[in-house]
Amino acid sequence: MIDSLQAGYGIQDAVSFSTGKGDLAKAILAHTSGSSAEVYLHGGHITSWKTFNGDELFFLSRESWFEPGRPIRGGIPIVFPQFGGGTLPAHGIARTSEWKLSGSSVLDSGEVCIELTLLSDDMTLGVWPHEFALRLKVMLGAESLTARLSVDNSGLDSFDFQAVMHTYFAIGDIGKCAVHGLEGVTLIDSLAGCGKSAESRPAIRFAGETDRIYLSAPDALQIDDEANGRRISIAKNGMADVVVWNPWVNKSKRISDLGDDEYLRMVCVETGVIEHPIHLTPKETWSGETVFTFGSI
Ligand code: TA6
């Protein structure tokens, strides 16, 4: 499989393939600046994004599963067609499905690009009875990583879906981390279970379990990893909502694929469509993207 991926989509000094954890196939993206990224075909899952000096920007749990049918804990899990619990498996079927490579290139900008596709099949139709094509385009620049998600309705009936990039960021210390850009935004506190409220803080800091859905949030956000003196800027487009999550002590102990102490070095700032699911009629396409850029505080 690796040989055929390399033959079909390998690009010298830019895109290569190898067997990763759990003997799962992964793509390795290398930018001329020295930045890099890794993407598993399992789940269409971006698991690593490193700066030109090798600093890892995405969190990946040391306890993560790397096996068919189970989601990887960290990087960017693709949540589709359902966010959270409901009639489908939690966070949907995309993150536990086997995606295929569908393209690779080096753009005129110098960004290294691959595309992965997940097509509905008997397995997905047995869980969610709609025909779709889900595509993830990953573009790696010197200081940026762009993830663009699109959904084609390839069937004969309309359907509604939610889609979220459930991004886990690596940080030095959750006690020295701030998320900027959500002041005044209407939110649902998943822990409080009581309607909507407004974010009163210019900067969100963490002193306990945090699980909040921000509705129709601004497209520009910022994560300050103060312990490392690093800033991650987030620019979303076509993705109205944001989720901020840290499991803290007790929930971490209940998550078997997360180390008990790992909450100290991670924060999820997720981008997607949650409150107003997208309605696609046959042959319609939706797309949304998030651009991540790293820099210093
Ligand atoms: O996005 C926040 C959240 O919905 C939390 O409630 C928590 O469940 C987290 O996702 C992780 O979910 P997972 O199914 O990956 O364990």
Side-chain angles (χ1 to χ4, degrees):
M1 178 180 191
I2 300 301
D3 291 345
S4 61
L5 286 168
Q6 193 65 40
Y9 298 99
I11 300 174
Q12 188 172 355
D13 301 330
V15 179
S16 62
F17 297 87
S18 73
T19 301
K21 296 181 178 179
D23 289 333
L24 298 173
K26 68 178 180 182
I28 300 153
L29 284 65
H31 188 270
T32 51
S33 67
S35 65
S36 64
E38 294 191 355
V39 188
Y40 279 77
L41 277 64
H42 175 65
H45 204 123
I46 303 168
T47 54
S48 173
W49 171 36
K50 289 183 179 177
T51 66
F52 39 79
N53 54 21
D55 292 340
E56 179 60 72
L57 297 164
F58 285 161
F59 167 83
L60 185 64
S61 173
R62 64 174 182 262
E63 305 293 342
S64 179
W65 301 309
F66 282 84
E67 55 189 76
R70 303 186 97 165
I72 295 168
R73 174 76 62 188
I76 307 183
I78 299 296
V79 174
F80 171 87
Q82 169 193 290
F83 176 80
T87 56
L88 302 181
H91 288 339
I93 54 179
R95 66 176 184 166
T96 53
S97 295
E98 303 313 311
W99 296 49
K100 295 189 185 318
L101 250 293
S102 48
S104 64
S105 62
V106 177
L107 306 179
D108 292 345
S109 62
E111 291 171 288
V112 178
C113 176
I114 64 170
E115 181 187 78
L116 299 99
T117 297
L118 175 65
L119 300 178
S120 52
D121 60 14
D122 290 345
M123 190 282 288
T124 65
L125 289 166
V127 179
W128 191 58
H130 302 293
E131 294 180 65
F132 65 87
L134 184 59
R135 302 185 200 287
L136 174 68
K137 207 164 190 177
V138 184
M139 290 161 272
L140 172 71
E143 298 174 350
S144 65
L145 182 81
T146 299
R148 183 175 302 149
L149 197 59
S150 65
V151 180
D152 303 336
N153 181 342
S154 50
L156 300 175
D157 65 334
S158 299
F159 59 70
D160 297 329
F161 68 89
Q162 297 167 307
V164 174
M165 295 180 187
H166 194 299
T167 310
Y168 286 73
F169 295 93
I171 55 170
D173 178 348
I174 192 64
K176 298 171 183 169
C177 173
V179 178
H180 300 272
L182 293 168
E183 185 178 11
V185 177
T186 301
L187 69 96
I188 296 170
D189 185 339
S190 304
L191 304 175
C194 59
K196 297 176 180 178
S197 59
E199 180 53 67
S200 58
R201 300 168 291 175
I204 298 167
R205 291 185 175 275
F206 301 85
E209 184 178 354
T210 303
D211 193 350
R212 297 176 152 208
I213 305 170
Y214 290 85
L215 308 175
S216 300
D219 285 343
L221 303 167
Q222 200 174 281
I223 305 169
D224 281 352
D225 172 11
E226 295 162 350
N228 288 319
R230 190 156 57 213
R231 174 167 290 164
I232 302 279
S233 298
I234 292 172
K236 61 185 179 69
N237 181 17
M239 300 180 131
D241 307 316
V242 170
V243 180
V244 177
W245 179 59
N246 184 282
W248 215 250
V249 179
N250 294 333
K251 180 142 191 183
S252 294
K253 290 176 181 170
R254 300 197 300 269
I255 300 175
S256 58
D257 58 327
L258 182 69
D260 288 356
D261 63 338
E262 290 190 303
Y263 74 93
L264 291 165
R265 291 178 298 282
M266 58 145 282
V267 65
C268 280
V269 179
E270 309 158 33
T271 49
V273 280
I274 299 173
E275 184 185 25
H276 301 301
I278 300 296
H279 181 78
L280 279 191
T281 57
K283 297 190 181 6
E284 258 194 318
T285 294
W286 167 87
S287 70
E289 80 171 23
T290 301
V291 183
F292 307 96
T293 307
F294 72 82
S296 303
I297 293 177

